[in-house]
Amino acid sequence: MTTTVYVPRDAAALSVGAESVARAIAAEAARRNVSIRLVRNGSRGLQWLEPLVEVTTPQGRVAYGPVGVGDVPSLFESGFLQGAPHALHLGLTEEIPYLKSQQRLTFARVGVIDPVDLDDYLAYDGYAGLRKALEMSPADIVQAVTDSGLRGRGGAAFPTGIKWKTVLDQPAKQKYIACNADEGDSGTFADRMLMEGDPFMLIEGMTIAGIAVGATRGFIYLRVEYPHAHRTLEEAIARAYERGYLGRDILGTGKSFDLEVRLGAGAYICGEETSMLESLEGRRGEVRVRPPLPAIKGLFGQPTVVNNVISLATVPIILHKGAEFYRDFGVGKSRGTIPLQVAGNIKRGGLYERAFGLTLRELLYDFGGGSASGRPIRAVQVGGPLGAYIPASQFDTPIDYEALASIGAMLGHGGVVAFDDTTDMARMARYAMEFCAIESCGKCTPCRIGSTRGVELLDRIMANVEREKNLQLLQELCDTMLHGSLCGLGGMTPYPVQSAIKHFPEDFMRTVQ
Amino acid sequence: MNTTPARPETLDAYTREQIDLALAQYQSQPGPLLQVLHAVQQRLRYIPDAAVPIIASALNLSRAEVHGVITFYHYFRRQPPGTHIVRICQAESCQAMRTDALTEHAKKRLGIGFHETTADGRFTLEPVYCLGNCACSPAIMIDDELHGRVTPEKFDALIEEKTRA
């Protein structure tokens, strides 16, 4: 009997040796004359256990991890192909508490299927959403997305259905779907995992978006730092074309949708939607003044849906299972599930998808296991480099858009980065300004000049040069950036700076050695 | 900074051909400049200044526009890099896992700072702001290869491996 063995091809798994492990397993099987089927799946998102190897057994998939090349002979010796005990044996994958306690809707297939095998995708309800959409009117598709309560998962949390409605209502001949895959926030990797682990779901979501608003062409704007996702997407897109799921006359319905990947070039600002559109048009990624909104005048001047990877990839399940099914998850105005990404100084980092409403403490301690260093977690930064630093005293805040906003924080793209008590928060505040200076597009003055002045002020504060006066000046500068910047980069860089000063004032008052 | 405009005539035949091929591949696309620049850099590993007037003329843009795009994006380079490009993540998640110490170690081990190339032309060191491997911080990328949970020892082993190869 041939046993199926899964070794992830996800970049995070590869980064800790999954490729060598896959080769070693194939070689050892050949040496022992055992027949195996090796599948390169996406990652389950339990990153501390990567490389996580799974085998199929009559009871279900059994996991082993983290597997090193040196463990492979002993795995065979102890009978891992039958799911036998071993020092790295983790039991049934689905029963691992970290995974079992999740509610995976968007990530249901990630880590489960072969990401570039279209038949595997179809076997797991793939394209069920598109089939439903093809029987609906465009207005009904948009209504379903609106009713689901889905809000933009890129960070702005704008209702997706309303954005689509605006584009649908434009009379233009050519409209576009632009997928923002410029996932630049530190602490986030959900887009990458989705594109590497279930690319057809994104392709399906974009196709549905195209049919819904009358757009026949889509672009995925992918950051150049993601070469693995690039290869996986290109492979999946080619297969979707071959099988009639992309291109002219999709599944014989007369509808058309063309899709291509375009690479960014290492500019954080291109994650801002208007800057991304400029970049897609081949220009410097300088932000545009709004209005007009991209939904009215977007890519190449045409009405454009700009959505994040996770927003678009969630559309198929909404269409397949219905708006109510999705809306029934979550709390208040935060409906559905959110794939949280737990990173930084954390024992069990990874992807954790669940309905809104979990508290930070549950995420960090119950599932994350506390810090990797074993020291107390002093602060977390939620929502990327423009997100506020949250102190331990606020870890009981539920993770939803409104609750975080009420403490001056934001969920953003769902990244949670943990820092232990050795962290100097004044240095982190300085870094926020420095990052803004490096990545500013230069179009508006508060961001372009303010960020550099901010670094200088923080240097003086840390060196105890006219500290009180400079702290006052820094607050005024933050105010100017907050209110005077054209986009979120300059406009939100004050969040990490001011939250660090507010919650950790002692770090700005240190005696200079 | 080069003040005299680089002239296309200074390019050798091979380089010129690669630029023409990159243009031919993407010229007919809408808004093709970034794609052309990516293709040039993929073929030549950098974008020579003398390529600017060629690309500008082919795409009906000004030289300033092309130069402006090349210099806007961190990824494009105007000088050839070393055989291997080593990128070390400097973003928050990696900072929480002591990328500062790793970076110091890397600079010492290679004997260069950021944006510099070793004297033997083997390695170029660059900072990068997030590689999307934040649950396995600190992360580095060598060419297209991603590495996570990188300790100074692991870094040395990787450099050793690339030096031998």
Side-chain angles (χ1 to χ4, degrees):
Chain A
M1 199 194 86
T2 302
T3 307
T4 304
V5 180
Y6 294 86
V7 183
R9 56 183 273 170
D10 173 275
L14 296 177
S15 86
V16 288
E19 191 59 42
S20 330
V21 170
R23 280 201 214 118
I25 289 174
E28 187 69 19
R31 199 177 69 78
R32 289 168 181 262
N33 223 354
V34 187
S35 158
I36 61 164
R37 188 172 78 98
L38 191 60
V39 174
R40 305 303 302 274
N41 55 336
S43 167
R44 295 275 194 166
L46 286 58
Q47 259 93 325
W48 78 99
L49 294 174
E50 293 289 3
L52 183 85
V53 174
E54 290 175 87
V55 294
T56 44
T57 73
Q59 288 73 43
R61 276 158 72 161
V62 172
Y64 297 83
V67 177
V69 170
D71 301 316
V72 172
S74 73
L75 281 168
F76 274 88
E77 206 53 54
S78 58
F80 91 118
L81 291 178
Q82 288 76 45
H86 181 275
L88 300 175
H89 180 266
L90 299 161
L92 291 171
T93 315
E94 305 280 350
E95 295 296 321
I96 297 172
Y98 194 90
L99 201 56
K100 192 178 177 156
S101 59
Q102 299 194 32
Q103 292 161 312
R104 288 203 165 187
L105 303 183
T106 309
F107 280 76
R109 273 180 298 255
V110 174
V112 176
I113 62 166
D114 177 343
V116 290
D117 183 342
L118 187 49
D119 292 312
D120 216 3
Y121 183 67
L122 293 169
Y124 282 82
D125 290 335
Y127 279 114
L130 178 69
R131 285 183 194 282
K132 279 255 175 73
L134 286 169
E135 294 163 3
M136 294 162 72
S137 73
D140 287 344
I141 302 173
V142 172
Q143 193 59 46
V145 174
T146 306
D147 291 344
S148 76
L150 178 66
R151 292 166 69 180
R153 298 284 189 252
F158 187 82
T160 306
I162 293 178
K163 201 183 263 185
W164 287 23
K165 175 91 168 58
T166 311
V167 178
L168 172 63
D169 290 343
Q170 303 307 307
K173 267 211 178 100
Q174 180 66 59
K175 301 176 189 178
Y176 296 103
I177 309 296
C179 170
N180 187 340
D182 194 48
E183 183 176 53
D185 288 355
S186 175
T188 67
F189 43 85
D191 294 352
R192 182 186 60 69
M193 274 184 62
L194 193 289
M195 292 184 286
E196 292 176 5
D198 195 8
F200 288 118
M201 195 178 192
L202 174 61
I203 297 168
E204 182 182 352
M206 290 185 73
T207 309
I208 295 171
I211 289 166
V213 304
T216 53
R217 195 154 182 192
F219 293 90
I220 299 172
Y221 183 83
L222 178 70
R223 65 199 300 256
V224 73
E225 292 86 348
Y226 283 0
H228 305 85
H230 188 206
R231 286 193 287 271
T232 308
L233 282 172
E234 293 288 8
E235 206 176 332
I237 288 172
R239 294 193 182 179
Y241 268 106
E242 281 163 21
R243 301 272 293 267
Y245 286 94
L246 280 175
R248 293 171 76 103
D249 195 19
I250 292 167
L251 303 177
T253 59
K255 310 266 188 195
S256 298
F257 190 69
D258 283 300
L259 180 59
E260 67 174 277
V261 180
R262 287 212 178 175
L263 287 181
Y268 176 75
I269 189 62
C270 291
E272 193 281 333
E273 63 174 3
T274 62
S275 161
M276 183 191 85
L277 294 174
E278 286 291 306
S279 190
L280 270 175
E281 291 181 22
R283 284 193 290 272
R284 292 163 65 90
E286 290 181 359
V287 301
R288 295 179 184 171
V289 179
R290 279 171 297 197
L293 293 170
I296 291 163
K297 202 165 179 278
L299 189 61
F300 303 113
Q302 301 302 310
T304 305
V305 168
V306 183
N307 278 152
N308 166 256
V309 172
I310 302 299
S311 313
L312 286 163
T314 301
V315 166
I317 192 164
I318 291 171
L319 270 290
H320 173 216
K321 302 241 169 129
E324 299 73 27
F325 169 82
Y326 190 76
R327 195 187 52 205
D328 286 347
F329 291 86
V331 292
K333 286 187 200 161
S334 303
R335 310 311 310 178
T337 59
I338 175 85
L340 296 163
Q341 301 124 83
V342 200
N345 197 330
I346 194 85
K347 201 167 162 192
R348 297 197 288 264
L351 183 120
Y352 197 85
E353 179 180 356
R354 201 156 124 155
F356 288 94
L358 192 74
T359 69
L360 279 168
R361 192 178 306 282
E362 288 170 311
L363 182 70
L364 293 168
Y365 288 97
D366 295 356
F367 304 109
S371 73
S373 61
R375 306 183 65 94
I377 298 176
R378 188 177 188 213
V380 292
Q381 187 178 32
V382 181
L386 308 175
Y389 284 103
I390 301 174
S393 60
Q394 295 183 333
F395 285 176
D396 291 313
T397 310
I399 303 172
D400 70 64
Y401 295 122
E402 280 70 30
L404 284 167
S406 75
I407 60 162
M410 59 145 194
L411 181 52
H413 184 48
V416 179
V417 178
F419 296 84
D420 74 9
D421 64 350
T422 62
T423 310
D424 180 346
M425 297 308 295
R427 293 205 67 80
M428 298 317 296
R430 183 190 188 277
Y431 173 78
M433 284 291 188
E434 187 190 8
F435 181 71
C436 181
I438 295 167
E439 298 298 336
S440 174
C441 83
K443 183 147 177 168
C444 72
T445 317
C447 174
R448 184 183 67 243
I449 311 281
S451 51
T452 298
R453 294 289 97 87
V455 173
E456 294 164 359
L457 284 172
L458 279 154
D459 280 339
R460 283 183 216 130
I461 291 162
M462 285 192 274
N464 198 11
V465 177
E466 298 184 277
R467 195 172 256 164
E468 284 305 321
K469 191 184 120 192
N470 282 315
L471 269 168
Q472 173 68 29
L473 203 54
L474 180 63
Q475 295 289 9
E476 285 170 25
L477 174 70
C478 282
D479 260 0
T480 305
M481 290 175 71
L482 204 77
H483 297 110
S485 300
L486 268 179
C487 82
L489 180 53
M492 289 160 69
T493 291
Y495 292 159
V497 176
Q498 291 181 309
S499 58
I501 296 172
K502 181 178 170 192
H503 299 301
F504 308 97
E506 64 277 19
D507 287 19
F508 296 80
M509 296 296 171
R510 290 219 170 102
T511 322
V512 180
Q513 303 297 320
Chain B
M1 203 59 67
N2 196 348
T3 47
T4 48
R7 289 172 302 126
E9 308 87 84
T10 61
L11 293 173
D12 59 66
Y14 172 80
T15 307
R16 174 73 206 223
E17 191 195 355
Q18 296 304 310
I19 296 164
D20 289 340
L21 285 170
L23 278 164
Q25 199 177 348
Y26 291 107
Q27 206 165 357
S28 59
Q29 301 271 323
L33 180 55
L34 246 78
Q35 289 174 292
V36 169
L37 295 175
H38 269 300
V40 170
Q41 183 158 302
Q42 200 180 11
R43 288 163 183 274
L44 300 172
R45 308 197 70 226
Y46 76 113
I47 302 163
D49 283 345
V52 172
I54 301 170
I55 296 168
S57 147
L59 302 184
N60 199 21
L61 297 166
S62 71
R63 289 198 314 229
E65 282 170 302
V66 177
H67 175 84
V69 169
I70 294 169
T71 52
F72 182 87
Y73 295 95
H74 301 305
Y75 184 77
F76 294 134
R77 51 179 65 251
R78 296 166 66 200
Q79 267 83 42
T83 313
H84 300 288
I85 301 175
V86 180
R87 296 186 168 88
I88 305 183
C89 181
Q90 302 294 301
E92 288 88 344
S93 180
C94 288
Q95 288 187 42
M97 290 304 278
R98 304 306 308 271
T99 194
D100 53 344
L102 177 66
T103 302
E104 276 317 300
H105 174 84
K107 286 178 176 170
K108 218 177 268 172
R109 170 69 179 77
L110 297 174
I112 50 173
F114 277 143
H115 312 297
E116 290 175 6
T117 300
T118 52
D120 63 2
R122 235 187 260 270
F123 298 101
T124 294
L125 191 62
E126 297 283 351
V128 69
Y129 298 91
C130 199
L131 294 163
N133 198 24
C134 318
C136 298
S137 297
I140 72 170
M141 196 174 246
I142 303 181
D143 305 323
D144 264 4
E145 258 171 48
L146 183 63
H147 300 278
R149 299 180 205 145
V150 181
T151 58
E153 295 72 38
K154 185 168 171 181
F155 182 85
D156 288 352
L158 288 166
I159 295 298
E160 193 61 35
E161 184 188 306
K162 296 290 170 196
T163 310
R164 275 201 313 267

